[in-house]
Amino acid sequence: MRCRKCNTKAVIGLPRHNAAFCKVCFNEYVHDQVRRAIKAERMFNRDDRILVAVSGGKDSLALWDILLKLGYRTDALYVDLGIADYSIKSREKVEQFAHMAAQSHGAALLIHTVQQEEGAGIRELADLIHRPTCSACGTIKRYQFNRAAVEHGYDVLATGHNLDDEAARLLGNVLHWQEEYLDKQSPNLPASVEGFAKKVKPLYRLAERETAAYAVLNGIDYIVEECPMAKGSKMLLYKEVLNRLETESPGTKQAFYWGFLEKQARVRPTTPAMTEKDRLTLHPCATCGQPTTAEVCSYCKMMVRAKASIPDS
Ligand code: Q46
Ligand code: ZN
């Protein structure tokens, strides 16, 4: 297998592009895909300050690395969920990478510790309020990522969702015809109202095995295990199904997700952030001030219930 660009020995084959690359040309390919994503979706520019949501996994650390190497002013936020070994190990990976990023690019790492700030680890918290762990986790992460971006004055919040994540999410939304979610499934959600950070997904043009290869080839030490709570999730099932299709017919995921984005752009040339209905009904949460459609936002409601159940709180 030879590199398509320079004809030296290739280290990775990309069947969906009918190509193979050596390490140097593969890095160029990855950087180029991210540059194209940023430009095509008008995600941010050179003057913007970017906050990357990092988990310790390959995608978010690769994203932080790529944005720094492309010359963007990028810091990161890690939310420590307090899930025993998984959180200990993933935090170690993040701190290790952040140490290098601070030395080489002067980048900063913010940390939010759920055990300290919300009063209990995510599993205990979810048990106390009788909600599935991932649903409580989603509420906390969405809230804290947004809050950190707004309070620390970042222009945009970037997440490491890749092509596989977005294609799997699209499959789930289509299978259940969740039209409201379909409307908002975009790699760029502008900050449409005060108090909401703009959110972008610069890795949407790269497959999961490409971000994994990028991390390995560039010596990024990441946590290989998935969060233990993800076991049995529908998303993993959709990814498996799409991988099966991809093996038989390379390019399926890309055609599915990028095709959706093209159709969405044709129907509605500007990026959707909020429906008009949302915009009209959003107002500051009576407790914390973040935008919400109810009187009190779902995070604050959840915390009231949790505090009432946490012993000695
Ligand atoms: S929601 Fe659930 Fe994830 Fe939170 S508890 Fe783990 S699997 S991390 S994306
Ligand atoms: Zn609130």
Side-chain angles (χ1 to χ4, degrees), residues 12-204:
I12 182 167
L14 304 183
R16 75 187 169 104
H17 291 303
N18 202 11
F21 291 116
C22 69
K23 179 182 166 182
V24 174
C25 295
F26 177 67
N27 278 345
E28 257 173 44
Y29 157 81
V30 168
H31 289 184
D32 189 50
Q33 291 300 319
V34 174
R35 262 191 226 107
R36 289 168 74 162
I38 294 168
K39 192 167 170 220
E41 295 288 332
R42 295 195 198 93
M43 293 182 177
F44 40 76
N45 59 45
R46 293 276 158 209
D47 302 324
D48 286 332
R49 284 179 70 224
I50 301 152
L51 184 67
V52 178
V54 288
S55 65
K58 60 191 181 318
D59 302 298
S60 55
L61 290 183
L63 176 59
W64 196 7
D65 180 86
I66 295 165
L67 293 181
L68 288 173
K69 284 179 180 159
L70 290 180
Y72 289 101
R73 298 194 293 162
T74 317
D75 295 333
L77 170 66
Y78 171 75
V79 172
D80 184 332
L81 298 166
I83 304 178
D85 265 9
Y86 170 75
S87 290
I88 294 169
K89 275 195 215 152
S90 59
R91 184 167 173 158
E92 266 171 26
K93 305 285 181 194
V94 169
E95 286 178 333
Q96 231 174 54
F97 186 89
H99 183 66
M100 293 187 303
Q103 285 186 327
S104 57
H105 295 88
L109 172 68
L110 314 177
I111 294 184
H112 176 94
T113 306
V114 172
Q115 178 86 45
Q116 261 168 32
E117 306 295 330
E118 275 82 16
I122 193 64
R123 283 188 293 203
E124 298 75 31
L125 209 60
D127 277 354
L128 287 169
I129 56 169
H130 309 292
R131 262 177 65 179
T133 307
C134 290
S135 139
C137 176
T139 301
I140 290 182
K141 284 198 299 192
R142 266 192 305 279
Y143 182 88
Q144 296 299 353
F145 284 138
N146 187 68
R147 179 167 144 181
V150 172
E151 285 186 3
H152 294 275
Y154 288 94
D155 297 286
V156 56
L157 174 67
T159 56
H161 294 98
N162 58 40
L163 176 60
D164 295 45
D165 296 320
E166 293 306 292
R169 194 165 152 216
L170 177 59
L171 181 60
N173 287 342
V174 169
L175 287 175
H176 299 99
W177 288 121
Q178 285 172 308
E179 288 182 37
E180 203 185 325
Y181 292 150
L182 279 168
D183 277 350
K184 289 181 186 170
Q185 192 176 348
S186 163
N188 176 1
L189 288 175
S192 59
V193 292
E194 178 103 10
F196 267 151
K198 173 176 178 172
K199 299 181 182 76
V200 298
K201 298 172 182 174
L203 300 184
Y204 81 90

Side-chain angles (χ1 to χ4, degrees), residues 222-238:
Y222 61 91
I223 181 154
V224 178
E225 303 102 73
E226 294 268 359
C227 169
M229 299 295 124
K231 222 175 178 181
S233 85
K234 279 278 185 325
M235 277 303 150
L236 290 185
L237 174 64
Y238 299 149

Side-chain angles (χ1 to χ4, degrees), residues 143 285-290 292 295-301:
Y143 182 88
C285 163
T287 309
C288 73
Q290 277 206 31
T292 174
E295 198 195 331
V296 174
C297 76
S298 51
Y299 171 84
C300 289
K301 269 189 217 148

